[in-house]
Amino acid sequence: MLGRRFISFLRRTPSASGKVVAEEGKAKTWGRRIVSGTLICLTGGVALSALDDLSIYHSCSSKALERASKNKPIIDAIGEPIVRGPWYNASLAVAHQRQSVSCTFPVSGPQGTGIFQLKAVRNGEDKWSSFLRASDWEILIMEALVHVPGNEEKQQTFRIKVSDDLPPPASNACTDCIPQEPSGNVDKK
């Protein structure tokens, strides 16, 4: 009988070990919250970076398609309309604090397929809100590797350099130039 009373007494009184267990539970809860918050922040940062890269890809490839649609050799090779391939087949490398980009992406047309390669720089400032709006990119170098299928004899793959197709400036003879006289340091023998 004394044993039963003692056991029931132990059950009614809080023990010191019960307080320790409760404190450990609170510490585990806070630890889990901190880890969860950190993971959410990291995931959000990665997602924003991916959206920014997708925005850069879309801006640069749109500018490249616009330039290619004005290039006669490309139009003759793969036809019109020129369609951008899927974004997951593209490669994008940004540098100089996201101010320059190197991009390669697939394209296709009714007569063939190709790969556009370009290097571009961003015009204007880079602000925190730049991922919310399309940036203006200036294409410095662009070339197309096009493949025109046909029967075995007519398959062609070739490289086309794409420029602004601006005519070279007219050369004018310089009439204002004054011929220079030889310098006095010439050895006479």
Side-chain angles (χ1 to χ4, degrees):
M1 180 110 136
L2 183 63
R4 286 185 184 174
R5 285 184 185 173
F6 182 71
I7 292 175
S8 66
F9 175 74
L10 286 178
R11 286 184 185 161
R12 283 188 243 152
T13 60
S15 68
S17 64
K19 289 181 183 178
V20 171
V21 170
E23 289 175 7
E24 284 179 6
K26 288 181 182 179
K28 285 182 181 179
T29 302
W30 278 105
R32 288 180 183 159
R33 288 180 183 172
I34 290 172
V35 169
S36 297
T38 303
L39 289 175
I40 288 171
C41 289
L42 286 173
T43 304
V46 169
L48 282 177
S49 177
L51 284 174
D52 190 34
D53 287 351
L54 187 61
S55 172
I56 291 171
Y57 163 72
H58 184 58
S59 297
C60 289
S61 62
S62 295
K63 191 86 124 171
L65 288 173
E66 179 183 316
R67 184 180 276 190
S69 68
K70 298 175 184 172
N71 187 286
K72 185 158 176 40
I74 291 178
I75 293 170
D76 290 344
I78 62 175
E80 279 190 299
I82 300 171
V83 180
R84 174 183 19 223
W87 62 269
Y88 50 82
N89 284 342
S91 72
L92 183 76
V94 292
H96 301 100
Q97 298 177 348
R98 300 184 119 30
Q99 293 297 311
S100 65
V101 67
S102 176
C103 183
T104 302
F105 63 96
V107 294
S108 62
Q111 300 169 359
T113 61
I115 296 174
F116 286 176
Q117 299 171 333
L118 64 96
K119 294 189 186 298
V121 293
R122 186 187 307 248
N123 290 329
E125 295 180 19
D126 183 27
K127 298 180 182 176
W128 281 99
S129 63
S130 66
F131 66 90
L132 297 175
R133 59 179 168 71
S135 298
D136 185 29
W137 292 88
E138 178 184 351
I139 296 176
L140 302 175
I141 301 169
M142 181 176 161
E143 63 183 21
L145 183 63
V146 296
H147 175 73
V148 181
N151 58 24
E152 289 187 31
E153 298 162 1
K154 289 191 169 189
Q155 286 190 11
Q156 297 178 348
T157 301
F158 47 95
R159 185 177 305 267
I160 300 171
K161 294 218 183 250
V162 182
S163 64
D164 289 330
D165 292 331
L166 298 175
S171 60
N172 297 328
C174 182
T175 57
D176 295 336
C177 295
I178 301 171
Q180 294 182 357
E181 302 202 10
S183 64
N185 295 340
V186 177
D187 291 333
K188 294 181 182 178
K189 293 186 179 181

